[in-house]
């Protein structure tokens, strides 16, 4: 079991835009896998959606696809944020 998560931001000061998109793949109590997504304005609570998958590979594939889509729309990861998600120790 590997925990996978990502946090993306999109900032456009000229349009007063500061948004985030957080995703994580995690197991649930029923032996399925959940893709947890949260998005909204930075500094405020966001909307939440959870999608269920039969196995981890399907959930991870969905996360990777969504992350690629968000990056095409201008979302990115700040280098200092990468240290927050270091799961190695």
């Amino acid at each position: 079991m590997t925990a996978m998560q990502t946090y993306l931001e999109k900032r456009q000061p000229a349009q007063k835009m500061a948004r985030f998109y957080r995703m994580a793949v995690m197991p649930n109590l029923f032996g399925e896998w959940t893709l947890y997504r949260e998005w909204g304005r930075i500094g405020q609570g966001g909307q939440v959606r959870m999608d269920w998958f039969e196995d981890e590979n399907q959930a991870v594939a969905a996360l990777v696809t969504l992350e690629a889509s968000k990056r095409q729309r201008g979302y990115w990861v700040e280098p200092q944020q990468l240290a927050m998600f270091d799961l190695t120790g």
Side-chain angles (χ1 to χ4, degrees):
M1 173 175 75
T2 58
M4 184 170 189
Q5 57 186 342
T6 188
Y7 178 84
L8 304 170
E9 288 187 357
K10 183 177 184 178
R11 294 177 187 253
Q12 295 178 343
Q15 288 84 21
K16 297 182 181 179
M17 178 190 296
R19 304 195 54 83
F20 74 93
Y21 205 95
R22 176 178 304 141
M23 294 179 279
V25 171
M26 59 189 99
N28 64 25
L29 296 174
F30 304 107
E32 298 172 324
W33 288 85
T34 303
L35 173 57
Y36 172 87
R37 298 191 270 168
E38 182 181 5
W39 66 93
R41 292 182 179 185
I42 294 174
Q44 297 182 358
Q47 295 185 14
V48 174
R49 177 177 175 166
M50 289 185 270
D51 298 313
W52 291 274
F53 297 89
E54 291 183 14
D55 65 33
E56 181 181 13
N57 293 333
Q58 291 175 342
V60 169
L63 183 146
V64 169
T65 301
L66 279 168
E67 182 177 2
S69 173
K70 293 300 172 188
R71 286 178 181 260
Q72 286 179 342
R73 292 178 173 224
Y75 283 81
W76 46 271
V77 177
E78 287 188 51
Q80 64 265 25
Q81 292 171 343
L82 294 175
M84 293 176 12
F85 297 108
D86 182 19
L87 302 175
T88 59

